């Protein structure tokens, strides 16, 4: 198949991990007979430096014309002055809003080999297989902000329609997995959470074959560490989802491992690892590329319908981890390129075995 993929490397380790993901996609294209056309565009801090805008018009046009968008990360200390008028993160938020990608899927699996890296006891990690569905284009991120000398506000606003569509997506995804949805809110305090809970209860009637439970976000933060294997699909608002998924990365062993897919109504999606630009390790060739590579797998599955190729990448990543080719965040000594080359070698090996069979 032919596909147009917009590539937005961004800042810090963004370019390093994005190059890794693109090289895996190039291998997949050559091996499975697809034609992927990549168009690299600026976003974030480097775009501010180049033209004063963290989401240049040209970048947005290319993204809207693409079948999928692959993004590295944005931000860094040089653009983080609290008084700055324009910030790299604004570019990413605008891109998510412009693409209408309201459902952010963040799968979390724990590989046996990495369980020992988690601060949790191994037995608690057995069978952990979570899918977070984070609402991505509403809530405190997009509400009205005000600021005077000594007062600041961030409005949290949700409409029923915004809640319904992301809940429906979570229920639909639950049907492809364990048929359980945990909806996370703060309904004991927040009005938006009470609307969220009411709406979740109503949407649940459309999915009688899926079980719904509610959890308050503070206790969910604890339950995620005490009984992570007890959950299947976890759906929540934008800010809670941001925080809980970084917490969940500790189950998997490193923030560098977790991919994400952001989807709206059509098939076009935005794919990015959940980690940031990691300024502390940027430019040293040691970033873990697996979160970005697994995001490329999600791109193949959700935007291009190439589920065989997506699964092949995921299995190749598993084999590389099992073989102990690990970056430093996972206790190994492999560099970004070495880890990426190992994934491509594992893909090639599997392809040849299948052809021989
Ligand atoms: P971060 O995710 O960049 O880093 C947190 C810690 O995890 C650091 O110690 C870092 O070295 C480590 N880490 C992250 N990704 C890694 C990888 N692939 N391999 C190895 N180690 C990795 O979070 P932060 O330091 O709080 O934020 C830095 C900047 O990134 C901020 O400007 C923030 O706004 C931005 N950010 C961007 C995105 C995004 O673009 N999607 C996401 C999160 C944070
Ligand atoms: C993420 C990031 C972003 C978010 C920032 C960089 C705007 O932390 O993708 O998780 O909070 O959504
Ligand atoms: Mn985050």
């Amino acid at each position: 198949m032919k596909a147009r993929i917009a590539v937005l490397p961004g800042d810090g380790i963004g370019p390093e991990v994005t190059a890794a993901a693109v090289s895996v996609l190039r291998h997949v294209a050559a091996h499975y007979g697809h034609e992927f056309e990549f168009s690299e565009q600026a976003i974030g801090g480097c775009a501010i430096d180049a033209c004063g805008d963290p989401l240049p018009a040209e970048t947005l046009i290319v993204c809207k014309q693409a079948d999928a968008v692959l993004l590295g990360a944005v931000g860094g200390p040089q653009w983080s002055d609290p008084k700055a008028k324009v910030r790299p993160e604004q570019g990413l938020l605008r891109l998510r809003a412009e693409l209408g990608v309201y459902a952010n899927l963040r799968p979390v699996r724990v590989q046996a080999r990495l369980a020992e890296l988690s601060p949790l006891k191994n037995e608690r990690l057995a069978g952990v297989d979570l899918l977070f569905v984070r609402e991505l284009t509403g809530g405190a991120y997009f509400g009205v902000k005000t600021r005077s000398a000594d007062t600041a506000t961030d409005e949290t606003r949700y409409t029923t329609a915004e809640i319904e569509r992301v809940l429906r997506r979570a229920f639909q995804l639950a049907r492809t997995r364990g048929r359980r949805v945990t909806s996370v809110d703060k309904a004991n305090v927040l009005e938006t959470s009470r609307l969220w809970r009411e709406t979740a209860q109503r949407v649940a009637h459309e999915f009688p074959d899926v079980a719904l439970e509610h959890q308050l976000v503070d206790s969910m933060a604890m339950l995620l560490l005490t009984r992570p294997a007890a959950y299947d699909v976890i759906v929540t608002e934008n800010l809670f989802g941001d925080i809980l998924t970084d917490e969940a990365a500790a189950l998997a062993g490193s923030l560098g491992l977790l991919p994400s897919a952001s989807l709206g109504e059509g098939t076009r999606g935005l794919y990015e690892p959940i980690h940031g630009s990691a300024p502390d390790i940027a430019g040293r060739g040691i970033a873990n590329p697996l979160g970005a590579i697994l995001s490329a797998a999600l791109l193949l599955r959700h935007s291009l319908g190439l589920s065989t190729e997506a699964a092949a990448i995921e299995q190749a990543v598993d084999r590389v981890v099992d073989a102990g080719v690990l970056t430093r965040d996972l206790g190994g000594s492999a560099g970004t390129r070495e880890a990426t080359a190992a994934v491509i070698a594992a893909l090639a090996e599997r392809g040849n075995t299948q052809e021989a069979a």
Side-chain angles (χ1 to χ4, degrees):
M1 80 169 316
K2 282 191 186 185
R4 281 189 290 187
I5 302 174
V7 178
L8 278 43
D11 307 315
I13 61 169
E16 300 166 52
V17 299
T18 309
V22 168
S23 67
V24 170
L25 286 173
R26 284 193 197 282
H27 174 87
V28 165
H31 200 86
Y32 291 84
H34 303 304
E35 227 174 278
F36 298 155
E37 192 187 301
F38 299 97
S39 171
E40 198 169 303
Q41 299 294 324
I43 192 168
C46 58
I48 294 177
D49 291 349
C51 68
D53 184 350
L55 182 64
E58 170 74 8
T59 298
L60 185 57
I61 290 170
V62 169
C63 289
K64 286 192 167 170
Q65 287 171 347
D67 298 301
V69 182
L70 183 69
L71 186 140
V74 299
Q78 60 271 56
W79 304 287
S80 293
D81 179 347
K83 296 228 177 305
K85 291 240 156 28
V86 50
R87 311 177 62 94
E89 290 79 0
Q90 291 166 341
L92 177 57
L93 298 183
R94 235 170 71 214
L95 179 65
R96 290 170 177 173
E98 287 278 353
L99 296 179
V101 288
Y102 59 82
N104 179 224
L105 281 48
R106 296 186 162 190
V108 181
R109 283 186 314 136
V110 181
Q111 266 182 269
R113 161 129 201 165
L114 298 181
E116 68 200 48
L117 288 175
S118 167
L120 269 72
K121 291 199 179 78
N122 272 4
E123 60 265 26
R124 287 203 181 155
L125 292 170
V128 171
D129 182 4
L130 303 169
L131 176 63
F132 281 87
V133 180
R134 170 190 174 193
E135 200 291 325
L136 200 63
T137 53
Y141 280 68
F142 292 93
V144 176
K145 296 178 187 301
T146 70
R147 177 68 199 263
S148 62
D150 60 358
T151 308
T153 67
D154 296 279
E155 176 196 38
T156 301
R157 186 169 185 280
Y158 269 111
T159 65
T160 304
E162 284 174 319
I163 302 169
E164 269 173 5
R165 63 185 184 180
V166 72
L167 256 304
R168 284 204 182 100
R169 188 62 71 98
F171 275 99
Q172 282 155 3
L173 288 161
R175 278 187 167 157
T176 69
R177 306 169 36 100
R179 292 181 185 264
R180 284 177 300 128
V181 170
T182 303
S183 172
V184 177
D185 61 37
K186 185 75 185 171
N188 52 346
V189 176
L190 300 178
E191 205 52 52
T192 40
S193 278
R194 286 190 276 272
L195 182 65
W196 184 281
R197 192 174 282 216
E198 241 176 71
T199 307
Q201 276 157 352
R202 205 176 50 249
V203 169
H205 293 308
E206 300 167 23
F207 301 86
D209 52 320
V210 178
L212 169 68
E213 66 157 349
H214 306 278
Q215 286 293 347
L216 296 170
V217 64
D218 47 355
S219 65
M220 190 69 221
M222 183 270 298
L223 291 165
L224 209 45
L225 301 182
T226 51
R227 43 196 296 258
Y231 302 95
D232 177 26
V233 174
I234 300 175
V235 60
T236 190
E237 68 154 85
N238 203 343
L239 183 58
F240 299 162
D242 179 45
I243 299 166
L244 291 178
T245 50
D246 265 33
E247 184 188 351
L251 304 172
S254 168
L255 194 52
L257 285 171
L258 265 54
S260 86
S262 304
L263 306 171
E265 294 308 340
T267 58
R268 187 183 55 214
L270 169 64
Y271 300 85
E272 43 175 328
I274 85 157
H275 63 72
S277 58
D280 53 337
I281 59 164
R284 292 166 53 196
I286 59 170
N288 187 339
L290 298 182
I293 290 171
L294 291 168
S295 299
L298 294 178
L299 182 159
L300 296 175
R301 177 175 295 122
H302 292 286
S303 283
L304 307 187
L306 300 175
S307 47
T308 304
E309 289 82 340
I313 293 177
E314 288 160 350
Q315 284 156 19
V317 166
D318 284 357
R319 288 204 302 282
V320 165
V321 169
D322 277 343
V325 184
L326 303 174
T327 43
R328 290 181 204 202
D329 53 313
L330 297 173
S333 58
T336 308
R337 286 195 177 166
E338 198 184 328
T340 307
V343 172
I344 292 173
L347 262 172
E349 200 180 289
R350 178 51 59 100
N352 292 338
T353 324
Q354 276 167 352
E355 272 151 31

